[in-house]
Amino acid sequence: MGDRGGEPAGRGAVNPDGARRSVVVGTLTLSYLLVVLLSLHFHARAFVSGNGDAADYASMGRNLARGEGFRSSVVYPLQLAMFCEEDPHRAPNLHRPPLLPLVYGALFLLLGAHGWIVWAVSAAMLAATAFVIVRSGRLPWEARAAGAAALLAYPTTVVFAASGMTEPAAALVCVFLAARLSGHSWKTRRGAVVLGGLAGLAALLKYPLAMLLPFVLWAAWRGAESRLRWKAPTTIGAAWLAVVLPWWVHNAVVVGDPFFTLQSRFEVTKGLPGYELFRVARSDSPVEPLSFAAQNAAALAGKSLAAWRGFFLSDWGLHAWPLLLGLAVAWVWRKREEARALPWWIAVNAALLLALAPINLEPRYLYPTLMPLWVGAISLAFAQTSGRARTMGATALLLLLLGTNVHVIQARPRPGDFSRDVAMVRSATAPGDLVLTDVDSFVAWHADRTALWFPCDERTLERMLERHDVRAVYLQGGVDSEALYHFRDRRAVLRGLRARFEVEQAAPGGGVLLTRHSEYRLQPAGGTN
């Protein structure tokens, strides 16, 4: 301990560094709680009403807790035709990575399937990410704290903080991976195993993050001594394979292809006129991605340009901030060892931008890989500046972040509260009933029913109604439902449904619920209703 004012430091003397750390920790804690509370407010009463993916992950976790395996309660028309035509209740999970449902399943088994568990997992992942940032790296403690603050203040963090999505967990893994890479973990066998395991976990949280593996292998190969150059990459690759192999085996057993997902085969068609193949019931393979890309090169180029434009220009261009800041910091302090990791993360994000644009690029897909870049650039800039420059830069950035947070929260549509509508669906149906709906994930989780996603053509709709005992139809959007936009005559579709279903109710949220009397049973093929 030093002295203060020329007097020996006594037992009650204040440690300036300790006091400053307490203020910073308290500020970070309050900021974290504010972000979580804002996220809960944003996602309204239904914790997953902002994004159907979260509800789908939660319902799969509940199925795991019940011992039903990786079964999805959301069934796409294409999935129905290809794999579960005989029994939609046994639809395998072919469209979601498995790790988050596994986490939910384990917690649901212990605590019951409750919505608060889902948002609590997201909030805990965000807290863990901030903790890893503060505790890792060789920069001064204040610089690492600035990085944690930058994570919390990043405008889309509030969207994910209690969302039930994969982004918080994937960001935690990526930030932890960045910390291990900056510490040259590949130099030891244990460190290489951890690197490979983290890259494997990232792939099981979000399939596009499988692209991390070649970058991790390259970093280890480039950083290793020449005589041991292949040892670390081999260990990393083996650890990665050990993590992902069980899921490949699962897919091979279920569908005969270890690498099969509906997205990998059909999402390249998403957004193109005439192609919504998830919602078309065809048992044959309607498209091969590479041949489809070759035949529709111009359309996919236009789709890619639109995706990039949306990424760089939407929401004040905030998704490009980490890339631009990372480039600037990496150039200004290029001689610093801590800056060498920034071009690596820039390359990772550039590869994802190129790969996802012709398939399906949403800015949130890059949130996990942008955060190590964003946090690293802020931390390094904070460590390398001082005095007035640091104060002015931090103030300007804080004002920009606050303004953009307000813009993001106000501009983003407020999720609807489906609780009353879905409660009506639940009371009008029985466990095991099939519900045809335009909000499939919400019906699957909140009503606990197997939900068939509403198709996009008359032929598929007729086939689904003829072959399956659909007990109810719930259209959250009513006659204006987006699910009906692909039909030539939306009102004719509703008239046809009303002719098949005998009870109609107006849902509180403006939707339409059509149900059949309990005496109704599906007639054999060729029969009448």
Side-chain angles (χ1 to χ4, degrees):
M1 301 285 287
D3 55 41
R4 186 181 182 188
E7 297 178 4
R11 191 171 179 179
V14 176
N15 181 352
D17 290 337
R20 188 164 57 247
R21 287 197 177 202
S22 298
V23 171
V24 172
V25 170
T27 303
L28 287 175
T29 302
L30 289 175
S31 300
Y32 164 75
L33 293 175
L34 178 62
V35 167
V36 171
L37 289 174
L38 282 174
S39 185
L40 286 172
H41 175 70
F42 176 79
H43 289 286
R45 289 168 57 191
F47 76 95
V48 287
S49 60
N51 193 295
D53 291 2
D56 202 2
Y57 286 120
S59 64
M60 283 192 287
R62 181 168 56 196
N63 292 337
L64 281 168
R66 291 171 173 169
E68 299 174 2
F70 279 102
R71 180 180 74 81
S72 176
S73 294
V74 173
V75 185
Y76 296 171
L78 178 63
Q79 179 185 9
L80 178 68
M82 294 182 70
F83 300 108
C84 53
E85 185 76 72
E86 298 300 321
D87 184 5
H89 298 290
R90 300 303 304 169
N93 168 33
L94 300 174
H95 55 287
R96 304 287 182 209
L99 188 54
L100 195 60
L102 270 174
V103 173
Y104 290 156
L107 293 174
F108 290 166
L109 188 62
L110 294 173
L111 304 172
H114 304 292
W116 66 266
I117 294 175
V118 177
W119 70 253
V121 168
S122 295
M125 295 296 177
L126 179 61
T129 307
F131 179 79
V132 169
I133 293 169
V134 172
R135 297 290 297 174
S136 303
R138 288 170 289 180
L139 291 173
W141 187 86
E142 291 84 354
R144 287 178 271 139
L151 168 78
L152 296 176
Y154 188 72
T156 51
T157 295
V158 70
V159 178
F160 299 130
S163 65
M165 298 293 290
T166 57
E167 276 73 17
L172 169 61
V173 172
C174 287
V175 166
F176 195 15
L177 180 67
R180 302 293 298 188
L181 284 170
S182 66
H184 300 169
S185 275
W186 59 78
K187 291 184 177 180
T188 66
R189 179 179 297 177
R190 180 180 178 182
V193 169
V194 170
L195 286 175
L198 288 171
L201 292 176
L204 295 183
L205 281 166
K206 297 187 79 67
Y207 286 138
L209 293 183
M211 292 181 64
L212 282 171
L213 178 63
F215 288 93
V216 174
L217 294 176
W218 176 75
W221 181 83
R222 191 166 178 265
E225 299 178 14
S226 57
R227 60 188 181 86
L228 300 173
R229 181 149 283 177
W230 291 105
K231 185 176 181 180
T234 301
T235 304
I236 291 170
W240 185 89
L241 187 62
V243 171
V244 302
L245 186 60
W247 187 241
W248 287 357
V249 172
H250 166 272
N251 289 345
V253 171
V254 172
V255 299
D257 182 348
F259 313 115
F260 182 90
T261 66
L262 289 176
Q263 284 93 333
S264 67
R265 294 290 296 278
F266 308 115
E267 199 157 25
V268 70
T269 70
K270 188 173 182 178
L272 299 183
Y275 292 98
E276 280 288 344
L277 294 181
F278 287 160
R279 295 170 61 188
V280 176
R282 292 181 55 176
S283 57
D284 58 325
S285 178
V287 62
E288 288 293 337
L290 293 180
S291 61
F292 181 88
Q295 295 167 13
N296 298 271
L300 290 176
K303 177 182 175 181
S304 299
L305 289 174
W308 291 327
R309 184 167 58 250
F311 180 86
F312 285 102
L313 299 181
S314 64
D315 290 331
W316 295 2
L318 71 91
H319 310 294
W321 293 359
L323 291 170
L324 298 175
L325 185 64
L327 281 169
V329 171
W331 171 255
V332 172
W333 290 290
R334 56 189 177 277
K335 295 183 179 180
R336 293 279 304 184
E337 183 178 352
E338 293 87 350
R340 295 176 185 173
L342 298 180
W344 190 91
W345 284 104
I346 291 171
V348 168
N349 284 283
L352 286 169
L353 279 170
L354 289 171
L356 293 177
I359 303 171
N360 185 30
L361 174 63
E362 294 185 28
R364 67 182 176 88
Y365 294 166
L366 272 72
Y367 176 83
T369 52
L370 287 173
M371 286 305 95
L373 181 59
W374 173 249
V375 168
I378 294 287
S379 299
L380 182 56
F382 194 89
Q384 294 301 304
T385 55
S386 60
R388 187 176 180 183
R390 176 191 288 184
T391 302
M392 291 179 62
T395 302
L397 182 63
L398 179 61
L399 291 175
L400 181 61
L401 288 170
L402 288 174
T404 311
N405 267 291
V406 172
H407 166 73
V408 167
I409 293 173
Q410 289 185 341
R412 198 172 296 266
R414 180 68 180 271
D417 182 2
F418 294 100
S419 57
R420 290 184 298 167
D421 286 22
V422 179
M424 179 182 288
V425 175
R426 186 182 179 96
S427 64
T429 56
D433 283 353
L434 295 177
V435 179
L436 184 65
T437 179
D438 58 349
V439 283
D440 46 358
S441 299
F442 303 124
V443 168
W445 168 254
H446 293 293
D448 196 8
R449 303 290 183 260
T450 298
L452 305 180
W453 193 12
F454 206 92
C456 64
D457 67 282
E458 290 88 344
R459 181 181 175 185
T460 301
L461 177 60
E462 189 68 22
R463 172 174 172 167
M464 291 172 70
L465 292 174
E466 285 183 352
R467 297 194 178 192
H468 303 288
D469 188 9
V470 176
R471 305 294 301 171
V473 177
Y474 169 61
L475 293 175
Q476 192 275 332
V479 70
D480 296 321
S481 171
E482 291 185 7
L484 302 177
Y485 283 177
H486 295 277
F487 292 89
R488 291 188 297 272
D489 188 343
R490 289 179 287 169
R491 296 187 181 277
V493 173
L494 278 178
R495 285 196 298 271
L497 290 172
R498 285 167 176 147
R500 288 176 176 267
F501 293 84
E502 302 176 16
V503 181
E504 179 176 351
Q505 302 175 67
V512 173
L513 175 63
L514 305 171
T515 56
R516 283 179 167 139
H517 289 305
S518 57
E519 306 84 43
Y520 174 87
R521 285 293 177 269
L522 186 69
Q523 299 296 322
T528 61
N529 290 340

mmCIF file of all heavy atoms in Angstrom, residues 13 25 37 71 131 149 199 206 227 258 276 323 364 368 398 404 413 429 435 448 468:
data_model
loop_
_atom_site.group_PDB
_atom_site.id
_atom_site.type_symbol
_atom_site.label_atom_id
_atom_site.label_comp_id
_atom_site.label_asym_id
_atom_site.label_seq_id
_atom_site.Cartn_x
_atom_site.Cartn_y
_atom_site.Cartn_z
ATOM 1 N N ALA A 13 -7.404 3.448 5.545
ATOM 2 C CA ALA A 13 -7.101 4.259 4.369
ATOM 3 C C ALA A 13 -7.833 3.727 3.141
ATOM 4 O O ALA A 13 -8.039 2.525 2.987
ATOM 5 C CB ALA A 13 -5.597 4.268 4.112
ATOM 6 N N VAL A 25 -17.104 -1.529 -11.565
ATOM 7 C CA VAL A 25 -17.884 -2.770 -11.447
ATOM 8 C C VAL A 25 -19.351 -2.452 -11.173
ATOM 9 O O VAL A 25 -20.254 -3.053 -11.754
ATOM 10 C CB VAL A 25 -17.294 -3.664 -10.337
ATOM 11 C CG1 VAL A 25 -18.242 -4.828 -10.046
ATOM 12 C CG2 VAL A 25 -15.927 -4.200 -10.751
ATOM 13 N N LEU A 37 -33.411 -5.517 -18.375
ATOM 14 C CA LEU A 37 -34.773 -5.018 -18.143
ATOM 15 C C LEU A 37 -35.362 -4.427 -19.417
ATOM 16 O O LEU A 37 -36.543 -4.641 -19.726
ATOM 17 C CB LEU A 37 -34.764 -3.984 -17.024
ATOM 18 C CG LEU A 37 -34.514 -4.535 -15.613
ATOM 19 C CD1 LEU A 37 -34.375 -3.386 -14.618
ATOM 20 C CD2 LEU A 37 -35.633 -5.482 -15.185
ATOM 21 N N ARG A 71 -37.158 -33.788 -31.351
ATOM 22 C CA ARG A 71 -38.374 -33.668 -32.150
ATOM 23 C C ARG A 71 -38.800 -32.210 -32.191
ATOM 24 O O ARG A 71 -38.776 -31.510 -31.188
ATOM 25 C CB ARG A 71 -39.503 -34.502 -31.535
ATOM 26 C CG ARG A 71 -40.807 -34.441 -32.311
ATOM 27 C CD ARG A 71 -41.875 -35.281 -31.653
ATOM 28 N NE ARG A 71 -42.408 -34.682 -30.430
ATOM 29 C CZ ARG A 71 -43.348 -33.723 -30.410
ATOM 30 N NH1 ARG A 71 -43.818 -33.238 -31.543
ATOM 31 N NH2 ARG A 71 -43.785 -33.260 -29.258
ATOM 32 N N PHE A 131 -18.079 -10.905 -18.184
ATOM 33 C CA PHE A 131 -17.094 -11.392 -17.213
ATOM 34 C C PHE A 131 -15.829 -11.877 -17.924
ATOM 35 O O PHE A 131 -14.711 -11.574 -17.496
ATOM 36 C CB PHE A 131 -17.702 -12.515 -16.379
ATOM 37 C CG PHE A 131 -16.763 -13.103 -15.367
ATOM 38 C CD1 PHE A 131 -16.522 -12.453 -14.160
ATOM 39 C CD2 PHE A 131 -16.102 -14.297 -15.622
ATOM 40 C CE1 PHE A 131 -15.646 -12.990 -13.231
ATOM 41 C CE2 PHE A 131 -15.229 -14.842 -14.693
ATOM 42 C CZ PHE A 131 -14.995 -14.187 -13.498
ATOM 43 N N ALA A 149 -18.147 -2.687 -21.291
ATOM 44 C CA ALA A 149 -19.166 -1.649 -21.430
ATOM 45 C C ALA A 149 -19.596 -1.508 -22.880
ATOM 46 O O ALA A 149 -20.780 -1.294 -23.173
ATOM 47 C CB ALA A 149 -18.619 -0.320 -20.904
ATOM 48 N N ALA A 199 -14.715 -23.958 -31.012
ATOM 49 C CA ALA A 199 -15.154 -23.817 -32.402
ATOM 50 C C ALA A 199 -16.270 -24.807 -32.723
ATOM 51 O O ALA A 199 -17.211 -24.483 -33.460
ATOM 52 C CB ALA A 199 -13.973 -24.022 -33.350
ATOM 53 N N LYS A 206 -24.832 -22.133 -33.969
ATOM 54 C CA LYS A 206 -25.248 -21.521 -35.231
ATOM 55 C C LYS A 206 -24.453 -22.190 -36.336
ATOM 56 O O LYS A 206 -23.216 -22.095 -36.358
ATOM 57 C CB LYS A 206 -25.000 -20.009 -35.226
ATOM 58 C CG LYS A 206 -25.797 -19.251 -34.174
ATOM 59 C CD LYS A 206 -25.650 -17.743 -34.322
ATOM 60 C CE LYS A 206 -26.517 -17.203 -35.426
ATOM 61 N NZ LYS A 206 -27.953 -17.302 -35.148
ATOM 62 N N ARG A 227 8.706 -26.754 -36.729
ATOM 63 C CA ARG A 227 8.831 -28.196 -36.543
ATOM 64 C C ARG A 227 7.570 -28.812 -35.919
ATOM 65 O O ARG A 227 7.387 -30.022 -35.961
ATOM 66 C CB ARG A 227 10.051 -28.527 -35.674
ATOM 67 C CG ARG A 227 9.999 -27.926 -34.287
ATOM 68 C CD ARG A 227 11.320 -28.137 -33.547
ATOM 69 N NE ARG A 227 11.291 -27.581 -32.207
ATOM 70 C CZ ARG A 227 10.843 -28.221 -31.141
ATOM 71 N NH1 ARG A 227 10.374 -29.460 -31.277
ATOM 72 N NH2 ARG A 227 10.853 -27.651 -29.961
ATOM 73 N N PRO A 258 -25.379 -37.142 -42.945
ATOM 74 C CA PRO A 258 -24.876 -36.503 -41.721
ATOM 75 C C PRO A 258 -24.881 -34.981 -41.787
ATOM 76 O O PRO A 258 -24.904 -34.318 -40.752
ATOM 77 C CB PRO A 258 -23.445 -37.038 -41.592
ATOM 78 C CG PRO A 258 -23.078 -37.511 -42.957
ATOM 79 C CD PRO A 258 -24.344 -37.983 -43.582
ATOM 80 N N GLU A 276 -40.550 -20.638 -52.351
ATOM 81 C CA GLU A 276 -40.672 -20.678 -50.890
ATOM 82 C C GLU A 276 -40.749 -22.155 -50.529
ATOM 83 O O GLU A 276 -41.762 -22.645 -50.067
ATOM 84 C CB GLU A 276 -41.917 -19.924 -50.411
ATOM 85 C CG GLU A 276 -41.755 -18.423 -50.360
ATOM 86 C CD GLU A 276 -40.852 -17.958 -49.230
ATOM 87 O OE1 GLU A 276 -40.585 -18.755 -48.317
ATOM 88 O OE2 GLU A 276 -40.411 -16.800 -49.269
ATOM 89 N N LEU A 323 -16.753 -3.490 -38.008
ATOM 90 C CA LEU A 323 -15.814 -3.692 -39.109
ATOM 91 C C LEU A 323 -15.002 -2.428 -39.370
ATOM 92 O O LEU A 323 -13.774 -2.480 -39.505
ATOM 93 C CB LEU A 323 -16.577 -4.100 -40.378
ATOM 94 C CG LEU A 323 -17.223 -5.482 -40.366
ATOM 95 C CD1 LEU A 323 -18.133 -5.653 -41.571
ATOM 96 C CD2 LEU A 323 -16.150 -6.567 -40.359
ATOM 97 N N ARG A 364 -28.289 -10.150 -37.624
ATOM 98 C CA ARG A 364 -28.098 -10.812 -36.336
ATOM 99 C C ARG A 364 -27.212 -12.053 -36.439
ATOM 100 O O ARG A 364 -26.614 -12.467 -35.452
ATOM 101 C CB ARG A 364 -29.445 -11.185 -35.724
ATOM 102 C CG ARG A 364 -30.234 -12.244 -36.468
ATOM 103 C CD ARG A 364 -31.576 -12.493 -35.789
ATOM 104 N NE ARG A 364 -32.423 -13.429 -36.505
ATOM 105 C CZ ARG A 364 -32.398 -14.745 -36.346
ATOM 106 N NH1 ARG A 364 -31.549 -15.276 -35.478
ATOM 107 N NH2 ARG A 364 -33.202 -15.532 -37.020
ATOM 108 N N PRO A 368 -22.496 -12.635 -33.146
ATOM 109 C CA PRO A 368 -21.475 -13.331 -32.338
ATOM 110 C C PRO A 368 -20.055 -13.074 -32.799
ATOM 111 O O PRO A 368 -19.147 -12.969 -31.965
ATOM 112 C CB PRO A 368 -21.859 -14.813 -32.504
ATOM 113 C CG PRO A 368 -23.308 -14.797 -32.858
ATOM 114 C CD PRO A 368 -23.492 -13.582 -33.703
ATOM 115 N N LEU A 398 -20.218 7.243 -26.640
ATOM 116 C CA LEU A 398 -21.345 6.991 -25.739
ATOM 117 C C LEU A 398 -22.615 7.665 -26.258
ATOM 118 O O LEU A 398 -23.689 7.065 -26.270
ATOM 119 C CB LEU A 398 -21.018 7.499 -24.335
ATOM 120 C CG LEU A 398 -22.119 7.325 -23.274
ATOM 121 C CD1 LEU A 398 -22.447 5.848 -23.087
ATOM 122 C CD2 LEU A 398 -21.694 7.952 -21.955
ATOM 123 N N THR A 404 -28.339 5.590 -30.972
ATOM 124 C CA THR A 404 -28.672 4.448 -31.822
ATOM 125 C C THR A 404 -29.513 3.429 -31.067
ATOM 126 O O THR A 404 -30.398 2.795 -31.651
ATOM 127 C CB THR A 404 -27.384 3.786 -32.347
ATOM 128 O OG1 THR A 404 -26.525 4.788 -32.879
ATOM 129 C CG2 THR A 404 -27.709 2.788 -33.443
ATOM 130 N N PRO A 413 -40.352 -3.000 -34.802
ATOM 131 C CA PRO A 413 -41.759 -3.224 -34.435
ATOM 132 C C PRO A 413 -41.870 -3.894 -33.075
ATOM 133 O O PRO A 413 -41.144 -4.845 -32.767
ATOM 134 C CB PRO A 413 -42.268 -4.156 -35.549
ATOM 135 C CG PRO A 413 -41.312 -3.969 -36.674
ATOM 136 C CD PRO A 413 -39.990 -3.652 -36.056
ATOM 137 N N THR A 429 -58.330 -26.915 -28.465
ATOM 138 C CA THR A 429 -57.751 -28.151 -28.984
ATOM 139 C C THR A 429 -57.292 -29.022 -27.829
ATOM 140 O O THR A 429 -57.278 -28.605 -26.672
ATOM 141 C CB THR A 429 -56.553 -27.835 -29.902
ATOM 142 O OG1 THR A 429 -55.585 -27.050 -29.176
ATOM 143 C CG2 THR A 429 -56.992 -27.068 -31.146
ATOM 144 N N VAL A 435 -52.397 -28.254 -35.497
ATOM 145 C CA VAL A 435 -52.897 -26.898 -35.737
ATOM 146 C C VAL A 435 -52.157 -26.321 -36.940
ATOM 147 O O VAL A 435 -50.918 -26.268 -36.949
ATOM 148 C CB VAL A 435 -52.686 -26.000 -34.507
ATOM 149 C CG1 VAL A 435 -53.202 -24.579 -34.792
ATOM 150 C CG2 VAL A 435 -53.376 -26.578 -33.283
ATOM 151 N N ASP A 448 -48.474 -25.565 -26.818
ATOM 152 C CA ASP A 448 -47.982 -26.941 -26.676
ATOM 153 C C ASP A 448 -48.724 -27.885 -27.622
ATOM 154 O O ASP A 448 -49.184 -28.946 -27.231
ATOM 155 C CB ASP A 448 -48.117 -27.420 -25.235
ATOM 156 C CG ASP A 448 -47.267 -28.659 -24.964
ATOM 157 O OD1 ASP A 448 -46.467 -29.034 -25.844
ATOM 158 O OD2 ASP A 448 -47.413 -29.247 -23.881
ATOM 159 N N HIS A 468 -54.090 -35.193 -43.391
ATOM 160 C CA HIS A 468 -53.798 -35.084 -41.973
ATOM 161 C C HIS A 468 -54.998 -34.538 -41.211
ATOM 162 O O HIS A 468 -55.741 -33.693 -41.711
ATOM 163 C CB HIS A 468 -52.574 -34.200 -41.748
ATOM 164 C CG HIS A 468 -51.353 -34.681 -42.464
ATOM 165 N ND1 HIS A 468 -50.658 -35.796 -42.077
ATOM 166 C CD2 HIS A 468 -50.732 -34.224 -43.580
ATOM 167 C CE1 HIS A 468 -49.649 -36.003 -42.907
ATOM 168 N NE2 HIS A 468 -49.672 -35.061 -43.826
#
